Amino acid sequence: MRSDRRRVVVKRLQVSYAESERRVCKALNFPRASHRYQSVRDERAELRIRLRDLASTRVDFGYRRLHIFLLREGWKVNHKLVYRLYIEEGLQMRRKRPRRNRSCQVRVTRPKASCTNESWSMDFMSDQLFDGKRFRLLTLVDNFSRESLAIRVGTRMTGDDVVAALERVKEVRGCPQSIRVDNGPEFISKSLDWWAYFNKVTLDFSRLGKPTDNAYIESFNGRVRQECLNQHWFLSLADAQEQIDQWRLDYNENRPHSSLGNQTPVEFAKKSCPARRA
């Protein structure tokens, strides 16, 4: 086990069992000197800043090409150091590039949303009817207010269905600045790409194998599963849509949300965005 991981384990055991650092380290056979060691390694802050700048302008280049650019600029670094900083800064490229060039946001730090309609998140879930027939759910949330904007049900959902759902939400709320999505086939479709382009919406794609890139929708889907899907038997798609819509309304208007100071999403949105009070 690496030393940094052992330090975390030591801290957890100290808290869990109310034991001293000495006794925990002895039980783990981990020297206290190693536990208390403070790294004196240079964090290479200037190099990190320059590497991020290069990665933001050269979005199709991996760490080896970025290393060449650094060498040309006079940086005395080898490729192994560049690779380590490249990974630590989260600059990895997606291996599968979506089939578009217009609406895709690539390798850009995601700022926290500061108002409604600034950033939405969208994802798919699946469940089954009482007879075992599978169906899918398209979920859409506002990342600032945590409001559930739509949950659409269907047996087979394509990019056109995604666009139709967004158009219905657009009539009520308008368009966001960006939508966070994964690399599913419905989200890399030409239909959604054209809709985003004409409505000036950026499609912010998650990195492969990084579900935390879209943490808001992942958390919301967990609530849908726990509080709605696991609590009901659905007789048909119409029945599923009706019951899910009832739950969505209750989620937005009645259910307290811990990350919003125990306010409901609707209450939080009205207090944070005065323009919506009317």
Side-chain angles (χ1 to χ4, degrees):
M1 185 184 296
R2 292 177 55 181
S3 296
D4 53 350
R5 295 180 181 176
R6 286 190 177 187
R7 293 188 185 97
V8 174
V9 173
V10 169
K11 291 294 184 183
R12 289 179 177 174
L13 292 178
Q14 281 185 260
V15 173
S16 300
Y17 294 97
E19 291 291 348
S20 66
E21 175 187 290
R22 178 182 59 81
R23 296 191 65 179
V24 173
C25 287
K26 183 177 180 181
L28 296 177
N29 195 25
F30 182 46
R32 293 178 69 194
S34 298
H35 176 65
R36 295 188 173 190
Y37 174 76
Q38 298 293 327
S39 175
V40 296
R41 183 178 64 183
D42 185 1
E43 293 298 326
R44 311 302 292 265
E46 294 182 357
L47 179 58
R48 289 173 184 269
I49 293 173
R50 184 55 188 151
L51 184 61
R52 287 199 299 267
D53 291 342
L54 287 173
S56 64
T57 56
R58 306 281 181 172
V59 296
D60 290 322
F61 287 6
Y63 79 94
R64 290 188 180 275
R65 285 189 176 182
L66 297 179
H67 175 233
I68 294 174
F69 274 92
L70 292 172
L71 293 179
R72 289 178 180 176
E73 294 178 1
W75 294 89
K76 304 296 183 181
V77 292
N78 61 28
H79 71 279
K80 291 182 287 186
L81 173 60
V82 173
Y83 177 73
R84 177 172 64 81
L85 299 181
Y86 182 84
I87 296 298
E88 290 178 359
E89 294 297 317
L91 301 176
Q92 303 95 310
M93 295 168 52
R94 290 194 314 276
R95 294 180 182 177
K96 179 181 178 183
R97 184 179 179 86
R99 299 190 299 269
R100 81 200 40 76
N101 295 314
R102 297 183 180 276
S103 307
C104 178
Q105 176 172 302
V106 184
R107 197 164 53 185
V108 176
T109 302
R110 289 170 163 171
K112 188 175 181 180
S114 58
C115 63
T116 56
N117 280 11
E118 180 178 336
S119 173
W120 295 354
S121 289
M122 186 164 52
D123 197 13
F124 276 101
M125 301 178 65
S126 63
D127 202 65
Q128 63 183 19
L129 302 177
F130 77 101
D131 57 1
K133 184 177 180 180
R134 304 291 297 181
F135 66 91
R136 306 185 73 196
L137 301 88
L138 172 67
T139 56
L140 181 66
V141 299
D142 187 299
N143 294 334
F144 176 72
S145 66
R146 309 299 201 274
E147 292 173 274
S148 173
L149 306 180
I151 304 179
R152 305 308 302 172
V153 171
T155 53
R156 179 180 177 273
M157 305 189 75
T158 64
D160 292 336
D161 297 313
V162 174
V163 169
L166 290 172
E167 278 294 314
R168 284 191 285 269
V169 178
K170 173 185 171 183
E171 293 176 358
V172 179
R173 293 181 61 102
C175 291
Q177 297 179 24
S178 66
I179 303 179
R180 298 182 184 180
V181 293
D182 60 25
N183 293 272
E186 303 84 5
F187 300 141
I188 64 174
S189 67
K190 288 295 183 182
S191 300
L192 182 57
D193 183 39
W194 279 110
W195 181 89
Y197 175 66
F198 284 116
N199 288 281
K200 297 181 174 57
V201 176
T202 299
L203 296 179
D204 189 358
F205 287 89
S206 302
R207 295 168 294 173
L208 293 178
K210 299 288 184 179
T212 53
D213 281 354
N214 209 352
Y216 293 123
I217 197 69
E218 294 291 342
S219 176
F220 174 76
N221 288 349
R223 303 287 77 75
V224 175
R225 178 73 63 188
Q226 179 182 9
E227 300 175 13
C228 181
L229 301 183
N230 290 348
Q231 303 298 323
H232 298 93
W233 284 98
F234 303 119
L235 303 179
S236 64
L237 289 179
D239 179 49
Q241 186 69 73
E242 180 180 356
Q243 295 197 55
I244 290 171
D245 283 341
Q246 291 176 1
W247 177 87
R248 188 177 73 85
L249 186 65
D250 181 72
Y251 174 88
N252 285 336
E253 299 183 355
N254 300 314
R255 181 188 182 278
H257 204 295
S258 58
S259 66
L260 304 179
N262 290 326
Q263 301 177 80
T264 67
V266 171
E267 290 174 342
F268 179 79
K270 289 181 178 179
K271 293 179 180 179
S272 303
C273 304
R276 291 192 54 191
R277 292 180 182 177

